[in-house]
């Protein structure tokens, strides 16, 4: 909503008022009325925006040098006026037109905005989130009671001022091309709140810049009001704009890496791994990449773009090029090529042999460094895997070329210690039981659900380790991967588990001897269940995988894993689900009782109810519901009633 522009007697256009987009208004309310642990973040965000504007113009000037005019040197200027309670952040970058001011500062066209607002609303510290969600400009209202933005687009002869107190509306009006209006670029003027005047002190500004923005690839200077004797103050350079990735690794300290990581990632966590090197040979390029320790907000956003910035000989080209495969989308940083042409079109970015070579080389280097980290610092690597493992596992079905490397990096919870620790596939293969030839796994909605599955009982009895696969992606990659070190993957719900060849552990042997199957006529029970259940099952058989539960459902011998089939069915892939195999435990008292009743002259209708209840019980244990809840309730009441009467 906006008001129509008015014209004054002097012929100048009066300010035009606009209402903020609803989400922006809510965001600003949270910014203004919440207390954050670190308000310094606002200056980092404004400097980052200014640097991006300079980088955009640097790129645009490659095809239109006239945009630079006579000012080819980019810079960011900070002006501190403590007496006037003002802080100004200026840049000579691309600038904004009237419509761009309205679009960029009045609306948020990002899918992550709602998630950001929701997390702020949960009372979480917003300063750790602002940069991630691309809403950094609005952080200015944490310290300013009013913000003016004067901007002039490069190559334009018009300048515009955007103003707001952050309380629901903003105005846009033209401004005359006076001395304090930039030839191009943007001036953000913060009128500071009473409790935020310290942000106009040179010492405070210098501290924040050195902490968060020292490695912005644009020089930063600080200016203060003239001295009392009238002599102008000398602007002081706070950052020289040197690209950190061009410097030798030996000259850079961990603190500098952390500062730069904060700049390129917009996050406040510590990087879990830093990869910095220069490739030479057929292609020359510099790489400075970081693996975060905290999950980025858009990790599973279907509209996500790449988060690695592409430079060519220190000229910013783009920040949405897929320089890494999608399963490494959590990586942040910079790649700077010495070989690519500066006038790269969008089509050339999509199909460029140099970029393809860079993508391949950097991807392999990242995997190699992750492998080294897993060997040198297992605890740090396991934290990386816990955070990003579900994404890395996407590569197991997307990237055949690197599948073996990714399998070597993969970590799993397992039945060995009921999911307490991470296990590698090498660990698993090294601990195979006698006569075990397969890697067994179980998929499910959660680790707890898998651990409670009756399918695990026979494996536990033999001390056979089962991998817990509880991420949604697990149901897919295990269908694509043949195995590891010659050992195929095998679902514990798929086909007849080859457990008979594996001896029962000594601790379970005594219990198994007591559970004789003599009381259960396996043939009689099998025939009865097959006849009663009909087409609802593809087969019925005695089970070696059950030790405590009476029944369970498994997939047919050549059918898909049960969890994978259920997942595909929920997604509506149109495939008809295969009837499962019902396995029963011949040592269980319930099956022994059923066998005796079948051998005698028991109530056939009552026995049929028992058969259906066993099938429904197996469904429930498998995480499903009975197909006919009314019939299930009736049968349960009938069986319970007969039991109480007897």
């Amino acid at each position: 909503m906006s008001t129509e522009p008015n014209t004054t007697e002097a012929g100048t256009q009066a300010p035009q008022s606009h209402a903020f987009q609803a989400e922006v208004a809510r965001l600003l309310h949270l910014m203004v009325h919440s207390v954050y642990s670190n308000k310094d973040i606002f200056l980092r965000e404004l400097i980052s925006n200014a640097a991006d504007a300079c980088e955009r113009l640097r790129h645009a000037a490659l095809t239109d040098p006239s945009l630079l005019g006579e000012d080819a040197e980019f810079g960011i200027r900070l002006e501190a006026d403590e007496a006037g309670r003002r802080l100004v952040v200026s840049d000579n970058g691309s600038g904004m037109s009237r419509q761009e001011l309205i679009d960029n500062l009045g609306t948020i066209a990002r899918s992550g905005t709602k998630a950001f607002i929701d997390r702020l609303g949960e009372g979480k510290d917003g300063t750790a989130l602002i940069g991630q969600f691309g809403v950094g400009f609005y952080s200015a209202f944490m310290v300013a009671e009013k913000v003016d933005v004067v901007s002039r687009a490069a190559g334009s002869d018009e300048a515009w001022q955007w103003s707001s107190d952050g309380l629901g509306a903003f105005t846009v009006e033209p401004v005359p091309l006076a001395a304090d209006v930039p030839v191009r670029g943007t001036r953000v003027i913060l009128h500071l709140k009473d409790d935020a005047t310290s942000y106009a002190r040179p010492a405070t500004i210098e501290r924040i810049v050195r902490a968060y923005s020292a490695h912005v690839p644009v020089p930063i200077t600080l200016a203060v009001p003239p001295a009392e004797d009238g002599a102008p103050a000398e602007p002081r350079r706070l950052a020289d704009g040197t690209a950190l990735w061009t410097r030798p690794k030996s000259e850079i300290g961990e603190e500098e890496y952390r500062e730069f990581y904060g700049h390129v990632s917009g996050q406040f966590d510590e990087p879990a791994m830093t990869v910095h090197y220069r490739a030479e040979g057929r292609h020359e390029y510099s790489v400075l990449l970081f693996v975060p320790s905290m999950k980025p907000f858009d990790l599973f956003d279907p509209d996500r773009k790449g988060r690695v910035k592409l430079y060519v000989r220190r000229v910013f080209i783009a920040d949405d090029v897929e320089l890494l495969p999608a399963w490494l989308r959590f990586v942040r940083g910079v790649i700077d090529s010495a070989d690519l042409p500066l006038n790269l079109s969008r089509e050339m970015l999509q199909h460029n042999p140099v970029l393809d070579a860079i993508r391949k080389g950097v991807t392999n280097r990242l995997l190699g460094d992750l492998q080294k980290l897993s060997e040198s610092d297992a605890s740090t690597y396991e934290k990386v895997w816990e955070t990003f493992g579900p994404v890395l596992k996407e590569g197991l079905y997307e990237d055949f070329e690197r599948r073996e490397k990714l399998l070597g990096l993969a970590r799993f919870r397992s039945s060995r210690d009921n999911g307490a620790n991470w296990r590698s596939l090498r660990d698993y293969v090294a601990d195979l039981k006698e006569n075990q030839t397969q890697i067994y796994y179980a998929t499910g909605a959660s680790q707890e659900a898998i651990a409670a599955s009756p399918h695990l009982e026979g494996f536990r009895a033999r001390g056979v380790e089962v991998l817990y696969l509880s991420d949604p992606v697990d149901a897919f990659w295990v269908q694509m991967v043949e195995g590891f070190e010659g050992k195929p993957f095998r679902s514990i719900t798929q086909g007849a588990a080859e457990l008979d060849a594996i001896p029962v552990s000594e601790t379970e042997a005594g219990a198994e001897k007591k559970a004789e199957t003599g009381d259960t006529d396996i043939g009689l029970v099998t025939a009865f269940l097959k006849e009663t259940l009909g087409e609802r099952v593809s087969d019925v058989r005695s089970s070696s995988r059950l030790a405590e539960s009476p029944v369970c459902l498994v997939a047919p011998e050549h059918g898909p894993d049960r969890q994978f089939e259920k997942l595909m069915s929920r997604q509506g892939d149109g495939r008809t689900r295969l009837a499962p195999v019902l396995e029963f435990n011949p040592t269980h008292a319930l099956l022994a009782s059923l066998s005796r009743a079948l051998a005698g002259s028991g109530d056939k209708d009552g026995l049929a109810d028992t058969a259906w209840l066993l099938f429904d019980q197996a469904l429930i244990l498998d995480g499903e519901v009975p197909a006919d809840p009314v019939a299930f309730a009736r049968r349960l009441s009938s069986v319970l009633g007969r039991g109480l009467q007897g």
Side-chain angles (χ1 to χ4, degrees):
M1 168 182 171
S2 65
T3 60
E4 291 299 319
N6 296 317
T7 302
T8 65
E9 292 182 0
T12 59
Q13 185 177 307
Q16 186 178 3
S17 180
H18 302 257
F20 280 113
Q21 177 193 37
E23 285 188 335
V24 176
R26 185 181 170 203
L27 172 64
L28 284 170
H29 178 81
L30 289 167
M31 290 283 191
V32 173
H33 296 285
S34 298
V35 178
Y36 299 107
S37 62
N38 182 11
K39 293 184 179 181
D40 295 355
I41 176 64
F42 85 92
L43 186 53
R44 187 194 77 171
E45 293 303 312
L46 294 181
I47 290 174
S48 181
N49 290 346
D52 288 345
C54 292
E55 299 286 76
R56 284 195 297 272
L57 182 57
R58 198 197 306 263
H59 185 215
L62 296 174
T63 54
D64 187 0
S66 66
L67 292 173
L68 297 180
E70 298 179 358
D71 184 13
E73 297 298 323
F74 293 97
I76 298 170
R77 178 184 172 92
L78 309 178
E79 301 170 30
D81 180 3
E82 187 175 2
R85 288 172 43 197
R86 291 200 330 160
L87 173 63
V88 181
V89 180
S90 303
D91 67 74
N92 61 346
S94 55
M96 287 177 279
S97 65
R98 171 185 174 277
Q99 192 59 46
E100 286 172 330
L101 282 169
I102 295 171
D103 292 343
N104 294 341
L105 305 186
T107 63
I108 305 177
R110 287 193 57 146
S111 59
T113 304
K114 185 179 185 303
F116 172 75
I117 292 173
D118 289 345
R119 292 177 71 176
L120 277 181
E122 292 169 6
K124 298 185 178 180
D125 179 19
T127 57
L129 307 173
I130 290 167
Q132 297 179 61
F133 288 82
V135 294
F137 168 77
Y138 303 104
S139 63
F141 287 97
M142 293 192 295
V143 299
E145 60 187 13
K146 181 185 177 186
V147 177
D148 296 323
V149 179
V150 178
S151 195
R152 182 176 176 182
S156 173
D157 58 1
E158 293 182 334
W160 298 86
Q161 178 169 306
W162 179 101
S163 300
S164 179
D165 57 8
L167 298 180
F170 62 92
T171 62
V172 178
E173 61 182 309
V175 293
L177 302 182
D180 60 344
V181 172
V183 175
R184 68 165 192 264
T186 301
R187 283 170 55 85
V188 181
I189 303 112
L190 282 72
H191 303 272
L192 298 171
K193 298 177 181 179
D194 290 338
D195 61 354
T197 55
S198 63
Y199 290 109
R201 295 173 189 162
T204 302
I205 295 170
E206 186 167 353
R207 172 184 60 78
I208 296 173
V209 170
R210 296 197 186 284
Y212 299 119
S213 305
H215 300 294
V216 170
V218 179
I220 302 173
T221 57
L222 171 63
V224 296
E228 291 183 3
D229 59 5
E234 186 73 23
R236 185 160 70 252
R237 177 159 290 197
L238 303 183
D240 61 7
T242 300
L244 189 71
W245 61 87
T246 64
R247 292 168 49 190
K249 188 176 180 179
S250 59
E251 296 180 2
I252 305 172
E254 289 301 315
E255 185 62 30
E256 291 180 283
Y257 279 129
R258 280 196 294 271
E259 292 169 5
F260 187 75
Y261 167 70
H263 167 66
V264 297
S265 70
Q267 299 189 179
F268 271 78
D269 59 322
E270 298 279 334
M273 187 177 81
T274 301
V275 178
H276 186 193
Y277 70 99
R278 178 173 177 79
E280 297 179 334
R282 185 176 179 184
H283 300 293
E284 294 188 7
Y285 53 92
S286 298
V287 176
L288 179 51
L289 299 176
F290 303 92
V291 173
S293 56
M294 185 174 72
K295 188 181 298 183
F297 82 97
D298 60 349
L299 193 60
F300 295 103
D301 181 354
D303 297 324
R304 65 187 178 271
K305 300 292 184 182
R307 291 291 184 268
V308 174
K309 295 186 176 184
L310 173 64
Y311 285 74
V312 174
R313 296 187 291 281
R314 285 202 57 197
V315 175
F316 174 72
I317 300 299
D319 60 2
D320 60 353
V321 181
E322 297 298 335
L323 294 171
L324 295 172
W327 47 269
L328 284 172
R329 58 183 175 273
F330 52 86
V331 175
R332 301 292 189 261
V334 170
I335 296 176
D336 190 347
S337 170
D339 303 327
L340 287 167
L342 286 169
N343 59 340
L344 275 170
S345 67
R346 184 62 55 178
E347 291 72 23
M348 292 174 66
L349 285 172
Q350 297 299 324
H351 307 286
N352 186 285
V354 175
L355 268 184
D356 290 342
I358 291 174
R359 187 181 293 112
K360 181 176 181 179
V362 175
T363 300
N364 289 337
R365 176 62 180 258
L366 276 167
L367 292 183
D369 282 10
L370 283 170
Q371 181 62 44
K372 291 177 183 177
L373 180 65
S374 72
E375 296 166 355
S376 63
D377 189 347
S379 62
T380 297
Y381 177 74
E382 287 174 356
K383 291 176 183 176
V384 170
W385 181 263
E386 188 156 14
T387 305
F388 300 114
V391 181
L392 284 166
K393 283 188 285 191
E394 292 175 13
L396 290 173
Y397 66 83
E398 290 180 355
D399 197 331
F400 175 81
E401 180 183 349
R402 298 178 179 88
R403 185 171 291 168
E404 284 301 312
K405 290 181 180 179
L406 286 168
L407 286 172
L409 290 170
R411 296 294 184 269
F412 303 93
R413 306 289 186 180
S414 81
S415 62
R416 178 183 174 89
D417 52 12
N418 203 26
N421 297 293
W422 290 105
R423 296 273 288 168
S424 71
L425 291 175
R426 289 188 179 86
D427 295 334
Y428 185 103
V429 170
D431 292 336
L432 290 177
K433 293 296 180 181
E434 180 185 352
N435 298 333
Q436 182 182 351
T437 61
Q438 297 173 322
I439 298 172
Y440 292 106
Y441 69 87
T443 56
S446 67
Q447 181 178 313
E448 293 74 21
I450 296 172
S453 170
H455 298 92
L456 283 170
E457 294 169 0
F459 294 87
R460 286 199 185 100
R462 293 162 174 79
V464 175
E465 184 175 9
V466 177
L467 303 179
Y468 293 169
L469 306 186
S470 58
D471 293 320
V473 68
D474 290 326
F476 295 93
W477 71 259
V478 290
Q479 309 297 319
M480 308 286 293
V481 179
E482 293 181 358
F484 180 77
E485 294 187 356
K487 302 296 187 293
F489 288 96
R490 182 71 160 182
S491 169
I492 64 171
T493 70
Q494 197 170 10
E498 299 173 0
L499 287 176
D500 291 338
I502 303 174
V504 176
S505 62
E506 293 183 5
T507 57
E508 299 288 342
E512 188 160 281
K513 286 179 181 177
K514 295 177 184 178
E516 298 292 341
T517 62
D519 289 343
T520 301
D521 186 328
I522 293 176
L524 183 63
V525 171
T526 300
F528 171 72
L529 291 175
K530 278 185 178 180
E531 179 183 357
T532 304
L533 300 177
E535 294 182 354
R536 291 300 306 276
V537 294
S538 60
D539 196 8
V540 176
R541 61 179 175 236
S542 173
S543 179
S544 59
R545 82 182 84 217
L546 292 173
E548 301 169 8
S549 301
V551 287
C552 71
L553 297 176
V554 300
E557 187 65 31
H558 300 293
D561 170 74
R562 288 276 300 161
Q563 292 296 326
F564 176 75
E565 190 180 29
K566 284 190 287 185
L567 181 63
M568 296 306 293
S569 177
R570 286 196 297 268
Q571 292 183 354
D573 68 338
R575 289 189 292 185
T576 302
R577 291 187 64 179
L578 299 175
V581 174
L582 177 69
E583 289 193 356
F584 64 88
N585 179 2
T587 69
H588 196 279
L590 185 56
L591 274 300
S593 297
L594 176 61
S595 177
R596 289 193 295 271
L598 289 170
S601 56
D603 175 12
K604 297 302 180 182
D605 290 337
L607 293 179
D609 283 343
T610 301
W612 282 108
L613 284 173
L614 285 171
F615 179 74
D616 285 340
Q617 181 182 5
L619 278 173
I620 294 169
L621 289 170
D622 209 34
E624 298 190 60
V625 296
D628 188 344
V630 174
F632 170 74
R634 178 186 58 76
R635 291 174 184 133
L636 182 61
S637 297
S638 176
V639 170
L640 287 174
R642 288 196 298 270
L644 291 172
Q645 292 171 6

